[in-house]
Amino acid sequence: PDGDYYEGRWENGKRNGFGFSVAPYRNVRAGEWKNDVFLGERMVYTSERIYGIDISRYQHATRLATFYVGKGRKKRKVKRLTVIPIEWSKLRITHLGNISKKTVQGEVDYPVSFVYIKSTEGKSLRSAYYGYDYKMAHRYGFHVGTYHFFSTTSSAETQAKFFLRHSVLRRGDLPPALDVEPTKEQIKKMGGTEVLLTRVVEWLKIVESHTGVKPILYVSQMFVNRYLNDASYIKDNYQVWIARYGEYKPDVKLIYWQLCPDGRVSGIKGEVDINVFNGYREQFDDFITNGSIR
């Protein structure tokens, strides 16, 4: 009666197993279902997919234990923050993390096709590593994007201008991204969901006006479930980069999927966020040609 058409596995009067669905005002959905709930496409990771990473100060610093002799010749243990540079010439993805189940064909030894680098946060915080990372990423031939971490305690206009003033946004770069990760308490304190979404849209519009390209919205799966379903303007006009640590492809207007926060990349000490582009080489090349900063 509602115009929803489904073809696929059917058990106990419900969609169960693999199938596809076509419905008004919704994208075609193909993948696995369980008791009428769409789980998504089960991803198979191969060398044909397009992978990228996002980095911030966490990919530069590690705490190393050191010892020294103090008063009374007692040994005291202290931790010093030691900066470890990224070895840009060695970047290759070697592990897709253990936080969720994954189906992998072949050995994980994937090239890094794109890099997003954190530039700013709120209205006053700047990454000390951004400028150098941006220069090195370009030098070694990576497609580069820049992102801002959104704060609930300052205006969208102030944050957008701060981001634009302190970021390198050159022609041919990937669209800038807005990282939105507020807690329920922070949203309540700023005035509620409507206020949050209004400020997010304001930031996106200001940056779009400056760069000539629509920014990308980075959010978690929980954020999508709680807030984005009621934000039709954002869903209709902006692509989503989603943090979803499961084995099924997210059911959103997807551009990047952050599939794990605990991946491994040669040339970087410690854990790294691993992302996969929603498409293959042909779609990625088209995205670079038509979706980059103009």
Side-chain angles (χ1 to χ4, degrees), residues 29-89:
R29 295 188 291 177
E32 295 185 32
W33 304 72
K34 184 175 181 180
N35 293 327
D36 259 356
V37 176
F38 181 60
L39 300 179
E41 172 193 347
R42 190 190 298 266
M43 294 285 286
V44 178
Y45 298 100
T46 69
S47 59
E48 295 179 334
R49 295 194 179 274
I50 309 299
Y51 301 93
I53 61 175
D54 57 275
I55 59 175
S56 62
R57 65 182 178 88
Y58 296 107
Q59 280 65 55
H60 287 274
T62 184
R63 290 189 179 277
L64 302 177
T66 59
F67 296 87
Y68 70 95
V69 177
K71 291 182 178 180
R73 303 193 63 79
K74 291 182 179 179
K75 282 189 175 182
R76 294 179 58 194
K77 181 180 179 181
V78 296
K79 289 185 177 181
R80 291 180 179 172
L81 190 65
T82 303
V83 176
I84 298 179
I86 293 174
E87 298 180 80
W88 289 93
S89 63

Side-chain angles (χ1 to χ4, degrees), residues 8-279:
R9 185 74 176 174
W10 185 268
E11 292 179 352
N12 303 320
K14 294 182 179 180
R15 293 168 287 191
N16 275 286
F18 185 83
F20 74 88
S21 172
V22 180
Y25 313 112
R26 181 186 288 276
N27 295 331
V28 174
R29 295 188 291 177
E32 295 185 32
W33 304 72
K34 184 175 181 180
N35 293 327
D36 259 356
V37 176
F38 181 60
L39 300 179
E41 172 193 347
R42 190 190 298 266
M43 294 285 286
V44 178
Y45 298 100
T46 69
S47 59
E48 295 179 334
R49 295 194 179 274
I50 309 299
Y51 301 93
I53 61 175
D54 57 275
I55 59 175
S56 62
R57 65 182 178 88
Y58 296 107
Q59 280 65 55
H60 287 274
T62 184
R63 290 189 179 277
L64 302 177
T66 59
F67 296 87
Y68 70 95
V69 177
K71 291 182 178 180
R73 303 193 63 79
K74 291 182 179 179
K75 282 189 175 182
R76 294 179 58 194
K77 181 180 179 181
V78 296
K79 289 185 177 181
R80 291 180 179 172
L81 190 65
T82 303
V83 176
I84 298 179
I86 293 174
E87 298 180 80
W88 289 93
S89 63
K90 297 181 179 180
L91 294 194
R92 287 189 74 85
I93 295 168
T94 58
H95 199 278
L96 298 182
N98 296 309
I99 198 169
S100 64
K101 181 180 178 181
K102 298 177 183 69
T103 303
V104 179
Q105 287 185 355
E107 181 183 0
V108 177
D109 183 22
Y110 307 145
V112 174
S113 294
F114 61 93
V115 180
Y116 266 86
I117 307 169
K118 181 178 178 180
S119 170
T120 54
E121 179 175 338
K123 65 178 182 179
S124 59
L125 295 178
R126 299 169 57 189
S127 171
Y129 305 100
Y130 169 72
Y132 182 76
D133 284 345
Y134 179 93
K135 180 177 68 174
M136 296 302 289
H138 266 288
R139 178 177 297 179
Y140 283 91
F142 298 105
H143 295 290
V144 183
T146 299
Y147 77 91
H148 171 82
F149 191 92
F150 187 79
S151 170
T152 59
T153 61
S154 54
S155 74
E157 181 181 6
T158 300
Q159 292 188 60
K161 289 181 177 179
F162 181 68
F163 170 75
L164 293 171
R165 185 164 61 252
H166 296 291
S167 301
V168 184
L169 303 166
R170 294 175 180 166
R171 183 176 181 179
D173 280 354
L174 297 173
L178 178 62
D179 183 347
V180 182
E181 304 181 44
T183 64
K184 293 176 69 175
E185 291 73 20
Q186 288 173 329
I187 296 174
K188 182 179 179 180
K189 189 173 181 179
M190 73 182 300
T193 304
E194 187 174 346
V195 173
L196 169 67
L197 296 176
T198 298
R199 291 189 188 178
V200 166
V201 170
E202 184 180 358
W203 190 98
L204 295 171
K205 286 184 174 180
I206 292 172
V207 174
E208 178 182 352
S209 176
H210 180 85
T211 61
V213 65
K214 289 183 181 296
I216 292 168
L217 179 64
Y218 172 94
V219 290
S220 68
Q221 182 67 58
M222 185 178 296
F223 188 96
V224 171
N225 297 342
R226 286 179 176 172
Y227 312 115
L228 210 55
N229 289 329
D230 296 325
S232 58
Y233 179 82
I234 294 176
K235 290 179 65 177
D236 292 343
N237 290 279
Y238 294 95
Q239 294 177 313
V240 173
W241 173 7
I242 191 171
R244 175 185 169 99
Y245 308 138
E247 62 178 321
Y248 294 100
K249 185 177 177 179
D251 184 27
V252 294
K253 193 173 182 179
L254 184 67
I255 187 65
Y256 309 123
W257 173 13
Q258 187 181 97
L259 55 99
C260 74
D262 59 338
R264 293 289 178 171
V265 177
S266 59
I268 299 179
K269 299 291 184 181
E271 297 178 338
V272 185
D273 297 336
I274 307 297
N275 305 275
V276 60
F277 175 76
N278 186 24

